[in-house]
Amino acid sequence: MIMPKRKQFEELTIQDDFMFCKVMQNMNICKKVLELVLEEDISIKNITSQKTIENNSETKAVRLDVLVEDEDNNNIDIEMQMVNNDKIPQRIRLYQANIDVYGTSKGIPYAEMPNTIIIFFCMFDPMGKGLPIYSFENFCRENKNITLNDGTLKVIVNVKAYEKVKNPELKNLLKYICDGVVTNSLTEEIDMNISEIKRNAKFEEEYMSFYATLQDERAEGIKEGIQKGKREENINTARRMKKANCDIAFIKEMTKLSQKEIEAL
């Protein structure tokens, strides 16, 4: 997979991951955005950008765009997704699981577990149903009026469907994300914040480093994918050779698998 060509720093918009993360670190802007999407008051205690969560070496690590902790110690993950090249529901599931493990102290009573909210701003409609906002909670299949109340909420924002949003403030926000047009005080505040970021040479250096890191991670991911493919091919070869009653030593030589691995096939 070829890494997309790097945008010039001055060309970045709120849609770009780096700029989105920088803007959402502004506590006032972040609070207003969250309150519009969630339709409730939010008291922010801490904001972390590009947070990597790796709960152990055997599980897939995740990197969150913006992780917000509110005054009640609940976690809110905010993501910007421009390209429809991933299964968003499965990513949300993985993110929620990692945040739950990361944010829950050992021995904490279940009743005191922090709530987890995942919000994806998407520049496409991942559900394909034309809604501007999709909010998901766990409910009883036999009676949909009964919710599980497990403290989780997943919200997918279909940015390009902003015309269907009833709340004018939220509509203006999504329109700004979509086409960069300033229409109210919040979008003006965001636009001014972006201009300030672009005037800061330190942030331009950070952007260059950020992009280089993405390139390295992409290259490493491709390398791991090739290695995984070769291993799977060797396993399939060993399985066929074993079925053909080939000698274990010969199978080891041909596939580089251990005797234990071959015997387990």
Side-chain angles (χ1 to χ4, degrees):
M1 185 179 296
I2 299 174
M3 185 74 175
K5 184 179 178 181
R6 177 176 60 84
K7 266 189 176 183
Q8 294 299 312
F9 183 64
E10 60 271 14
E11 296 175 350
L12 297 182
T13 71
I14 189 70
Q15 294 181 20
D16 295 291
D17 198 47
F18 179 86
M19 187 61 72
F20 177 77
C21 291
K22 284 298 177 189
V23 170
M24 294 302 289
Q25 287 182 66
N26 181 302
M27 195 168 291
N28 188 53
I29 291 175
C30 187
K31 173 181 170 64
K32 290 177 181 178
V33 170
L34 287 177
E35 289 181 341
L36 283 175
V37 174
L38 299 176
E39 298 182 328
E40 61 180 83
D41 293 334
I42 302 292
S43 297
I44 297 176
K45 181 166 68 175
N46 185 52
I47 300 175
T48 306
S49 174
Q50 293 294 322
K51 172 69 177 179
T52 298
I53 297 179
E54 187 173 8
N55 289 309
N56 65 68
S57 61
E58 301 300 320
T59 59
K60 184 178 177 66
V62 298
R63 185 173 60 197
L64 310 177
D65 282 352
V66 181
L67 183 62
V68 176
E69 183 181 6
D70 70 12
E71 294 293 346
D72 295 320
N73 297 321
N74 299 313
N75 294 307
I76 307 172
D77 171 41
I78 317 169
E79 302 286 326
M80 173 61 73
Q81 185 72 21
M82 289 184 64
V83 182
N84 189 7
N85 59 2
D86 289 309
K87 292 187 177 295
I88 299 300
Q90 284 74 19
R91 282 184 63 192
I92 290 175
R93 175 183 171 188
L94 179 65
Y95 285 16
Q96 181 194 313
N98 276 272
I99 292 171
D100 283 346
V101 173
Y102 166 79
T104 304
S105 303
K106 185 177 181 180
I108 188 174
Y110 289 126
E112 296 179 13
M113 284 183 63
N115 294 331
T116 301
I117 301 173
I118 312 289
I119 302 173
F120 265 71
F121 285 92
C122 296
M123 301 307 299
F124 53 91
D125 185 354
M127 309 310 295
K129 301 300 181 182
L131 295 178
I133 306 287
Y134 300 92
S135 301
F136 299 94
E137 292 181 302
N138 294 323
F139 61 86
C140 176
R141 293 174 65 178
E142 290 73 20
N143 184 339
K144 292 181 174 58
N145 292 321
I146 302 174
T147 59
L148 188 59
N149 291 325
D150 59 348
T152 65
L153 174 66
K154 302 95 172 174
V155 181
I156 297 175
V157 182
N158 175 18
V159 175
K160 291 189 175 182
Y162 64 84
E163 289 286 1
K164 298 180 180 179
V165 176
K166 295 180 179 179
N167 183 331
E169 295 298 309
L170 179 57
K171 180 178 179 178
N172 287 332
L173 170 63
L174 300 188
K175 178 175 173 56
Y176 176 80
I177 294 174
C178 191
D179 58 26
V181 176
V182 173
T183 52
N184 64 355
S185 60
L186 175 57
T187 55
E188 182 179 13
E189 183 178 1
I190 294 173
D191 202 63
M192 290 177 63
N193 187 247
I194 290 176
S195 295
E196 290 174 6
I197 291 169
K198 289 181 177 179
R199 288 194 295 268
N200 192 319
K202 173 187 173 184
F203 291 143
E204 184 170 7
E205 291 177 4
E206 283 186 24
Y207 172 60
M208 300 290 286
S209 176
F210 170 79
Y211 187 82
T213 300
L214 288 183
Q215 284 184 310
D216 291 342
E217 290 178 353
R218 180 68 60 87
E220 185 63 28
I222 292 173
K223 181 179 177 181
E224 290 178 0
I226 292 173
Q227 291 175 343
K228 182 179 179 181
K230 287 182 178 179
R231 175 169 172 77
E232 290 176 351
E233 182 180 347
N234 287 337
I235 289 173
N236 290 332
T237 299
R239 188 176 286 115
R240 290 193 297 269
M241 292 177 73
K242 187 177 180 182
K243 189 175 182 180
N245 296 318
C246 294
D247 184 73
I248 295 293
F250 181 52
I251 298 176
K252 285 176 60 180
E253 181 182 350
M254 296 301 295
T255 65
K256 308 304 179 185
L257 297 179
S258 68
Q259 181 170 333
K260 184 177 181 181
E261 288 174 321
I262 295 168
E263 291 174 348
L265 295 176

Short mmCIF file of all heavy atoms in Angstrom, two decimals, residues 64-115:
data_model
loop_
_atom_site.label_atom_id
_atom_site.label_comp_id
_atom_site.label_asym_id
_atom_site.label_seq_id
_atom_site.Cartn_x
_atom_site.Cartn_y
_atom_site.Cartn_z
N LEU A 64 -5.37 6.57 19.54
CA LEU A 64 -6.58 7.37 19.55
C LEU A 64 -6.26 8.80 19.14
O LEU A 64 -5.27 9.38 19.58
CB LEU A 64 -7.20 7.36 20.96
CG LEU A 64 -7.39 5.98 21.60
CD1 LEU A 64 -7.93 6.15 23.02
CD2 LEU A 64 -8.31 5.11 20.76
N ASP A 65 -7.10 9.39 18.30
CA ASP A 65 -6.89 10.78 17.88
C ASP A 65 -6.93 11.71 19.09
O ASP A 65 -5.97 12.42 19.38
CB ASP A 65 -7.95 11.21 16.87
CG ASP A 65 -7.68 10.67 15.48
OD1 ASP A 65 -6.60 10.10 15.27
OD2 ASP A 65 -8.55 10.82 14.60
N VAL A 66 -8.06 11.70 19.79
CA VAL A 66 -8.23 12.59 20.95
C VAL A 66 -8.96 11.81 22.06
O VAL A 66 -10.07 11.34 21.85
CB VAL A 66 -9.04 13.85 20.59
CG1 VAL A 66 -9.18 14.75 21.81
CG2 VAL A 66 -8.41 14.60 19.43
N LEU A 67 -8.33 11.70 23.21
CA LEU A 67 -8.95 11.04 24.35
C LEU A 67 -9.24 12.07 25.42
O LEU A 67 -8.33 12.72 25.94
CB LEU A 67 -8.04 9.94 24.91
CG LEU A 67 -8.62 9.13 26.08
CD1 LEU A 67 -9.89 8.39 25.66
CD2 LEU A 67 -7.59 8.14 26.62
N VAL A 68 -10.52 12.22 25.74
CA VAL A 68 -10.97 13.21 26.72
C VAL A 68 -11.41 12.48 28.00
O VAL A 68 -12.14 11.49 27.94
CB VAL A 68 -12.15 14.04 26.18
CG1 VAL A 68 -12.68 14.99 27.24
CG2 VAL A 68 -11.73 14.79 24.92
N GLU A 69 -10.96 12.98 29.13
CA GLU A 69 -11.43 12.49 30.43
C GLU A 69 -12.23 13.61 31.08
O GLU A 69 -11.75 14.73 31.20
CB GLU A 69 -10.25 12.10 31.32
CG GLU A 69 -10.67 11.50 32.65
CD GLU A 69 -9.48 11.15 33.54
OE1 GLU A 69 -8.34 11.49 33.17
OE2 GLU A 69 -9.71 10.56 34.61
N ASP A 70 -13.47 13.30 31.46
CA ASP A 70 -14.29 14.35 32.07
C ASP A 70 -14.13 14.33 33.59
O ASP A 70 -13.39 13.52 34.15
CB ASP A 70 -15.75 14.22 31.64
CG ASP A 70 -16.47 13.00 32.23
OD1 ASP A 70 -15.93 12.35 33.15
OD2 ASP A 70 -17.58 12.70 31.75
N GLU A 71 -14.84 15.24 34.26
CA GLU A 71 -14.69 15.38 35.71
C GLU A 71 -15.19 14.17 36.49
O GLU A 71 -14.86 13.99 37.66
CB GLU A 71 -15.43 16.64 36.18
CG GLU A 71 -14.83 17.95 35.67
CD GLU A 71 -13.46 18.24 36.25
OE1 GLU A 71 -13.06 17.58 37.24
OE2 GLU A 71 -12.77 19.13 35.72
N ASP A 72 -15.98 13.32 35.84
CA ASP A 72 -16.46 12.09 36.48
C ASP A 72 -15.60 10.89 36.11
O ASP A 72 -15.99 9.74 36.35
CB ASP A 72 -17.92 11.83 36.07
CG ASP A 72 -18.87 12.90 36.58
OD1 ASP A 72 -18.69 13.34 37.73
OD2 ASP A 72 -19.78 13.30 35.83
N ASN A 73 -14.43 11.17 35.50
CA ASN A 73 -13.46 10.15 35.09
C ASN A 73 -13.96 9.25 33.95
O ASN A 73 -13.43 8.15 33.75
CB ASN A 73 -13.05 9.27 36.29
CG ASN A 73 -12.34 10.08 37.36
OD1 ASN A 73 -11.54 10.97 37.06
ND2 ASN A 73 -12.64 9.79 38.62
N ASN A 74 -14.98 9.71 33.23
CA ASN A 74 -15.43 8.97 32.05
C ASN A 74 -14.51 9.29 30.87
O ASN A 74 -13.90 10.36 30.81
CB ASN A 74 -16.87 9.34 31.71
CG ASN A 74 -17.82 8.98 32.83
OD1 ASN A 74 -17.77 7.88 33.37
ND2 ASN A 74 -18.68 9.91 33.22
N ASN A 75 -14.41 8.36 29.92
CA ASN A 75 -13.52 8.51 28.77
C ASN A 75 -14.32 8.75 27.50
O ASN A 75 -15.29 8.03 27.22
CB ASN A 75 -12.65 7.26 28.61
CG ASN A 75 -11.70 7.06 29.77
OD1 ASN A 75 -10.94 7.97 30.11
ND2 ASN A 75 -11.73 5.89 30.38
N ILE A 76 -13.89 9.74 26.72
CA ILE A 76 -14.52 10.04 25.44
C ILE A 76 -13.44 10.07 24.37
O ILE A 76 -12.52 10.89 24.42
CB ILE A 76 -15.25 11.41 25.47
CG1 ILE A 76 -16.22 11.48 26.65
CG2 ILE A 76 -15.99 11.63 24.15
CD1 ILE A 76 -16.84 12.86 26.85
N ASP A 77 -13.53 9.15 23.43
CA ASP A 77 -12.58 9.10 22.32
C ASP A 77 -13.21 9.78 21.11
O ASP A 77 -14.33 9.47 20.73
CB ASP A 77 -12.23 7.64 21.99
CG ASP A 77 -11.41 7.51 20.72
OD1 ASP A 77 -10.52 8.35 20.51
OD2 ASP A 77 -11.69 6.59 19.93
N ILE A 78 -12.47 10.71 20.48
CA ILE A 78 -12.97 11.44 19.31
C ILE A 78 -12.03 11.17 18.14
O ILE A 78 -10.83 11.42 18.23
CB ILE A 78 -13.04 12.96 19.57
CG1 ILE A 78 -13.61 13.25 20.97
CG2 ILE A 78 -13.87 13.64 18.50
CD1 ILE A 78 -13.45 14.68 21.40
N GLU A 79 -12.60 10.67 17.04
CA GLU A 79 -11.80 10.30 15.88
C GLU A 79 -12.27 11.04 14.63
O GLU A 79 -13.46 11.31 14.47
CB GLU A 79 -11.92 8.78 15.61
CG GLU A 79 -11.49 7.91 16.78
CD GLU A 79 -9.98 7.87 16.96
OE1 GLU A 79 -9.25 7.94 15.95
OE2 GLU A 79 -9.53 7.78 18.12
N MET A 80 -11.32 11.35 13.75
CA MET A 80 -11.63 11.91 12.44
C MET A 80 -11.25 10.87 11.39
O MET A 80 -10.10 10.42 11.36
CB MET A 80 -10.86 13.21 12.20
CG MET A 80 -10.98 13.77 10.78
SD MET A 80 -12.68 14.18 10.29
CE MET A 80 -12.96 15.67 11.27
N GLN A 81 -12.19 10.49 10.55
CA GLN A 81 -11.95 9.46 9.53
C GLN A 81 -12.31 10.02 8.16
O GLN A 81 -13.46 10.29 7.87
CB GLN A 81 -12.78 8.21 9.83
CG GLN A 81 -12.52 7.04 8.91
CD GLN A 81 -11.17 6.39 9.14
OE1 GLN A 81 -10.58 6.53 10.21
NE2 GLN A 81 -10.67 5.69 8.15
N MET A 82 -11.28 10.19 7.31
CA MET A 82 -11.51 10.76 5.99
C MET A 82 -11.79 9.70 4.92
O MET A 82 -12.60 9.91 4.02
CB MET A 82 -10.29 11.59 5.56
CG MET A 82 -10.11 12.88 6.32
SD MET A 82 -8.73 13.85 5.69
CE MET A 82 -9.31 14.24 4.03
N VAL A 83 -11.11 8.55 5.02
CA VAL A 83 -11.18 7.55 3.96
C VAL A 83 -11.92 6.31 4.45
O VAL A 83 -11.69 5.83 5.55
CB VAL A 83 -9.76 7.15 3.49
CG1 VAL A 83 -9.83 6.15 2.36
CG2 VAL A 83 -8.98 8.39 3.06
N ASN A 84 -12.82 5.81 3.63
CA ASN A 84 -13.62 4.64 3.99
C ASN A 84 -12.87 3.36 3.60
O ASN A 84 -13.24 2.65 2.67
CB ASN A 84 -14.97 4.69 3.27
CG ASN A 84 -15.93 3.62 3.78
OD1 ASN A 84 -15.63 2.93 4.75
ND2 ASN A 84 -17.06 3.47 3.13
N ASN A 85 -11.77 3.09 4.34
CA ASN A 85 -10.99 1.90 4.03
C ASN A 85 -10.90 0.93 5.21
O ASN A 85 -10.10 0.01 5.19
CB ASN A 85 -9.57 2.30 3.59
CG ASN A 85 -8.83 3.12 4.66
OD1 ASN A 85 -9.36 3.35 5.74
ND2 ASN A 85 -7.62 3.54 4.34
N ASP A 86 -11.70 1.16 6.22
CA ASP A 86 -11.73 0.29 7.38
C ASP A 86 -13.17 -0.03 7.75
O ASP A 86 -14.09 0.70 7.37
CB ASP A 86 -11.04 0.94 8.59
CG ASP A 86 -9.54 1.04 8.43
OD1 ASP A 86 -8.91 0.03 8.11
OD2 ASP A 86 -9.01 2.14 8.63
N LYS A 87 -13.35 -1.09 8.50
CA LYS A 87 -14.67 -1.41 9.03
C LYS A 87 -14.85 -0.63 10.33
O LYS A 87 -14.35 -1.03 11.39
CB LYS A 87 -14.80 -2.92 9.25
CG LYS A 87 -14.82 -3.71 7.94
CD LYS A 87 -15.12 -5.17 8.20
CE LYS A 87 -15.22 -5.95 6.90
NZ LYS A 87 -16.34 -5.52 6.07
N ILE A 88 -15.57 0.48 10.25
CA ILE A 88 -15.71 1.38 11.40
C ILE A 88 -16.31 0.70 12.62
O ILE A 88 -15.79 0.85 13.73
CB ILE A 88 -16.53 2.62 11.00
CG1 ILE A 88 -15.84 3.40 9.87
CG2 ILE A 88 -16.75 3.53 12.21
CD1 ILE A 88 -14.46 3.90 10.22
N PRO A 89 -17.39 -0.08 12.49
CA PRO A 89 -17.95 -0.74 13.69
C PRO A 89 -16.95 -1.63 14.42
O PRO A 89 -16.89 -1.64 15.66
CB PRO A 89 -19.12 -1.55 13.13
CG PRO A 89 -19.54 -0.82 11.90
CD PRO A 89 -18.26 -0.32 11.31
N GLN A 90 -16.12 -2.36 13.66
CA GLN A 90 -15.13 -3.23 14.29
C GLN A 90 -14.02 -2.41 14.96
O GLN A 90 -13.52 -2.78 16.02
CB GLN A 90 -14.53 -4.19 13.24
CG GLN A 90 -15.45 -5.33 12.84
CD GLN A 90 -16.59 -4.90 11.93
OE1 GLN A 90 -16.55 -3.84 11.32
NE2 GLN A 90 -17.63 -5.73 11.85
N ARG A 91 -13.66 -1.30 14.34
CA ARG A 91 -12.66 -0.42 14.96
C ARG A 91 -13.20 0.15 16.27
O ARG A 91 -12.49 0.23 17.27
CB ARG A 91 -12.28 0.71 14.02
CG ARG A 91 -11.32 0.31 12.92
CD ARG A 91 -10.91 1.50 12.08
NE ARG A 91 -10.20 2.51 12.85
CZ ARG A 91 -9.95 3.73 12.40
NH1 ARG A 91 -10.40 4.11 11.21
NH2 ARG A 91 -9.29 4.59 13.15
N ILE A 92 -14.45 0.56 16.25
CA ILE A 92 -15.07 1.10 17.46
C ILE A 92 -15.05 0.06 18.57
O ILE A 92 -14.74 0.36 19.74
CB ILE A 92 -16.51 1.56 17.18
CG1 ILE A 92 -16.49 2.81 16.28
CG2 ILE A 92 -17.27 1.85 18.47
CD1 ILE A 92 -17.86 3.28 15.84
N ARG A 93 -15.35 -1.18 18.21
CA ARG A 93 -15.34 -2.27 19.20
C ARG A 93 -13.96 -2.44 19.81
O ARG A 93 -13.81 -2.59 21.04
CB ARG A 93 -15.79 -3.57 18.51
CG ARG A 93 -15.72 -4.81 19.38
CD ARG A 93 -16.11 -6.03 18.56
NE ARG A 93 -15.85 -7.26 19.28
CZ ARG A 93 -15.96 -8.46 18.72
NH1 ARG A 93 -16.34 -8.57 17.46
NH2 ARG A 93 -15.71 -9.56 19.42
N LEU A 94 -12.93 -2.42 18.95
CA LEU A 94 -11.55 -2.57 19.43
C LEU A 94 -11.15 -1.40 20.31
O LEU A 94 -10.53 -1.57 21.37
CB LEU A 94 -10.60 -2.70 18.24
CG LEU A 94 -9.11 -2.83 18.58
CD1 LEU A 94 -8.86 -4.14 19.33
CD2 LEU A 94 -8.27 -2.79 17.31
N TYR A 95 -11.49 -0.19 19.88
CA TYR A 95 -11.14 1.00 20.66
C TYR A 95 -11.80 0.97 22.03
O TYR A 95 -11.18 1.27 23.05
CB TYR A 95 -11.55 2.27 19.91
CG TYR A 95 -10.67 2.63 18.74
CD1 TYR A 95 -9.80 1.70 18.18
CD2 TYR A 95 -10.71 3.89 18.18
CE1 TYR A 95 -9.00 2.02 17.10
CE2 TYR A 95 -9.91 4.24 17.09
CZ TYR A 95 -9.06 3.30 16.56
OH TYR A 95 -8.27 3.63 15.49
N GLN A 96 -13.08 0.62 22.06
CA GLN A 96 -13.80 0.58 23.33
C GLN A 96 -13.18 -0.42 24.29
O GLN A 96 -12.97 -0.14 25.47
CB GLN A 96 -15.27 0.24 23.12
CG GLN A 96 -16.06 0.20 24.42
CD GLN A 96 -17.42 -0.46 24.27
OE1 GLN A 96 -18.15 -0.16 23.35
NE2 GLN A 96 -17.74 -1.37 25.17
N ALA A 97 -12.85 -1.61 23.77
CA ALA A 97 -12.26 -2.65 24.61
C ALA A 97 -10.93 -2.19 25.21
O ALA A 97 -10.67 -2.38 26.40
CB ALA A 97 -12.07 -3.94 23.80
N ASN A 98 -10.09 -1.56 24.39
CA ASN A 98 -8.79 -1.10 24.87
C ASN A 98 -8.93 0.03 25.88
O ASN A 98 -8.21 0.06 26.88
CB ASN A 98 -7.92 -0.66 23.69
CG ASN A 98 -7.20 -1.81 23.03
OD1 ASN A 98 -6.10 -2.18 23.42
ND2 ASN A 98 -7.84 -2.41 22.03
N ILE A 99 -9.84 0.95 25.62
CA ILE A 99 -10.05 2.06 26.56
C ILE A 99 -10.58 1.54 27.89
O ILE A 99 -10.17 2.00 28.96
CB ILE A 99 -11.01 3.11 25.96
CG1 ILE A 99 -10.37 3.80 24.77
CG2 ILE A 99 -11.40 4.15 27.01
CD1 ILE A 99 -11.31 4.68 23.99
N ASP A 100 -11.49 0.57 27.83
CA ASP A 100 -12.05 0.01 29.06
C ASP A 100 -10.97 -0.62 29.92
O ASP A 100 -10.92 -0.42 31.14
CB ASP A 100 -13.12 -1.03 28.73
CG ASP A 100 -14.44 -0.41 28.32
OD1 ASP A 100 -14.61 0.80 28.54
OD2 ASP A 100 -15.30 -1.12 27.77
N VAL A 101 -10.08 -1.39 29.29
CA VAL A 101 -9.00 -2.04 30.05
C VAL A 101 -8.02 -0.99 30.56
O VAL A 101 -7.61 -1.03 31.73
CB VAL A 101 -8.26 -3.07 29.16
CG1 VAL A 101 -7.04 -3.62 29.90
CG2 VAL A 101 -9.20 -4.20 28.78
N TYR A 102 -7.68 -0.03 29.71
CA TYR A 102 -6.73 1.02 30.08
C TYR A 102 -7.25 1.89 31.23
O TYR A 102 -6.52 2.27 32.14
CB TYR A 102 -6.43 1.89 28.86
CG TYR A 102 -5.74 3.19 29.16
CD1 TYR A 102 -4.36 3.24 29.42
CD2 TYR A 102 -6.45 4.39 29.18
CE1 TYR A 102 -3.73 4.44 29.69
CE2 TYR A 102 -5.82 5.60 29.46
CZ TYR A 102 -4.47 5.61 29.72
OH TYR A 102 -3.84 6.80 29.98
N GLY A 103 -8.56 2.20 31.18
CA GLY A 103 -9.13 3.15 32.14
C GLY A 103 -9.70 2.54 33.39
O GLY A 103 -10.23 3.26 34.24
N THR A 104 -9.59 1.22 33.54
CA THR A 104 -10.16 0.56 34.70
C THR A 104 -9.06 0.04 35.61
O THR A 104 -8.28 -0.85 35.22
CB THR A 104 -11.08 -0.60 34.28
OG1 THR A 104 -12.09 -0.11 33.39
CG2 THR A 104 -11.76 -1.23 35.49
N SER A 105 -8.98 0.56 36.80
CA SER A 105 -7.96 0.13 37.75
C SER A 105 -8.26 -1.27 38.27
O SER A 105 -9.42 -1.68 38.38
CB SER A 105 -7.89 1.10 38.94
OG SER A 105 -7.62 2.41 38.51
N LYS A 106 -7.20 -2.01 38.58
CA LYS A 106 -7.35 -3.36 39.11
C LYS A 106 -8.11 -3.32 40.44
O LYS A 106 -7.80 -2.53 41.32
CB LYS A 106 -5.97 -3.99 39.32
CG LYS A 106 -6.02 -5.45 39.75
CD LYS A 106 -4.61 -6.02 39.85
CE LYS A 106 -4.65 -7.49 40.26
NZ LYS A 106 -3.28 -8.06 40.36
N GLY A 107 -9.10 -4.17 40.55
CA GLY A 107 -9.87 -4.27 41.79
C GLY A 107 -11.01 -3.29 41.90
O GLY A 107 -11.73 -3.28 42.91
N ILE A 108 -11.22 -2.44 40.91
CA ILE A 108 -12.30 -1.46 40.98
C ILE A 108 -13.65 -2.16 40.90
O ILE A 108 -13.82 -3.09 40.11
CB ILE A 108 -12.16 -0.41 39.84
CG1 ILE A 108 -13.18 0.72 40.03
CG2 ILE A 108 -12.37 -1.05 38.48
CD1 ILE A 108 -13.00 1.86 39.03
N PRO A 109 -14.61 -1.79 41.73
CA PRO A 109 -15.95 -2.40 41.64
C PRO A 109 -16.59 -2.12 40.28
O PRO A 109 -16.36 -1.05 39.69
CB PRO A 109 -16.73 -1.70 42.77
CG PRO A 109 -15.69 -1.18 43.70
CD PRO A 109 -14.51 -0.83 42.85
N TYR A 110 -17.37 -3.07 39.79
CA TYR A 110 -18.00 -2.89 38.48
C TYR A 110 -18.83 -1.61 38.42
O TYR A 110 -18.86 -0.92 37.39
CB TYR A 110 -18.89 -4.10 38.16
CG TYR A 110 -18.12 -5.37 37.87
CD1 TYR A 110 -18.38 -6.54 38.58
CD2 TYR A 110 -17.13 -5.40 36.90
CE1 TYR A 110 -17.68 -7.71 38.31
CE2 TYR A 110 -16.42 -6.56 36.64
CZ TYR A 110 -16.70 -7.72 37.35
OH TYR A 110 -16.00 -8.86 37.08
N ALA A 111 -19.48 -1.30 39.52
CA ALA A 111 -20.36 -0.12 39.54
C ALA A 111 -19.59 1.18 39.38
O ALA A 111 -20.16 2.21 39.02
CB ALA A 111 -21.16 -0.09 40.84
N GLU A 112 -18.27 1.15 39.61
CA GLU A 112 -17.46 2.36 39.52
C GLU A 112 -16.66 2.43 38.22
O GLU A 112 -15.84 3.33 38.04
CB GLU A 112 -16.50 2.42 40.72
CG GLU A 112 -17.22 2.56 42.06
CD GLU A 112 -16.27 2.61 43.23
OE1 GLU A 112 -15.05 2.78 42.99
OE2 GLU A 112 -16.72 2.46 44.38
N MET A 113 -16.89 1.49 37.32
CA MET A 113 -16.19 1.54 36.03
C MET A 113 -16.56 2.82 35.28
O MET A 113 -17.74 3.21 35.26
CB MET A 113 -16.56 0.33 35.17
CG MET A 113 -15.89 -0.96 35.58
SD MET A 113 -16.31 -2.31 34.44
CE MET A 113 -15.60 -1.70 32.91
N PRO A 114 -15.60 3.51 34.69
CA PRO A 114 -15.92 4.73 33.94
C PRO A 114 -16.72 4.41 32.69
O PRO A 114 -16.57 3.35 32.09
CB PRO A 114 -14.53 5.29 33.59
CG PRO A 114 -13.62 4.10 33.61
CD PRO A 114 -14.15 3.20 34.68
N ASN A 115 -17.58 5.35 32.32
CA ASN A 115 -18.31 5.21 31.06
C ASN A 115 -17.35 5.45 29.90
O ASN A 115 -16.36 6.17 30.04
CB ASN A 115 -19.46 6.21 30.99
CG ASN A 115 -20.53 5.93 32.04
OD1 ASN A 115 -20.73 4.79 32.45
ND2 ASN A 115 -21.20 6.97 32.48
#
